[in-house]
Amino acid sequence: ALTPEQRVKRRRMILNMVAANPEFPTSAVQAILLQHKVDHELIQVNQSKDSLLVYEVKLNPGVSTEELSRELMGSGLKSVSWEKAK
């Protein structure tokens, strides 16, 4: 039998984040994602002029990308964007 958590259809998204400073606020970002029970996997890192990290995430239905974006922006990010995973 499936637990209620396993029956919930989670959204797969790509989360793009650019740091406001040369050092990416990894621990703050991960704490926010864990607080909202967002499964996440790092799929790209680009540390040229700006530090860019891209995660593939799985969001529970009640999780708002707008709310997450606001919290992530407060952790030291310059930009946060979302797209549907393919």
Side-chain angles (χ1 to χ4, degrees):
L2 295 175
T3 66
E5 206 171 70
Q6 291 170 319
R7 281 186 231 135
V8 172
K9 183 69 175 166
R10 300 188 330 158
R11 295 174 288 163
R12 285 181 54 234
M13 304 283 290
I14 301 299
L15 170 59
N16 298 285
M17 298 172 286
V18 178
N21 300 307
E23 190 170 316
F24 195 86
T26 305
S27 57
V29 165
Q30 289 183 346
I32 292 166
L33 295 177
L34 290 173
Q35 176 186 352
H36 290 277
K37 298 179 179 160
V38 175
D39 287 342
H40 56 284
E41 179 181 344
L42 182 63
I43 58 173
Q44 182 183 345
V45 176
N46 182 354
Q47 298 207 300
S48 56
K49 183 179 153 214
D50 295 315
S51 292
L52 165 75
L53 263 69
V54 180
Y55 284 99
E56 181 174 336
V57 299
K58 293 179 184 169
L59 302 172
N60 288 321
V63 175
S64 160
T65 55
E66 284 124 18
E67 174 66 27
L68 269 175
S69 294
R70 274 194 297 276
E71 288 187 40
L72 290 165
M73 289 295 289
S75 73
L77 297 178
K78 179 166 60 173
S79 72
V80 175
S81 63
W82 300 86
E83 51 190 89
K84 288 186 178 184
K86 295 175 182 157

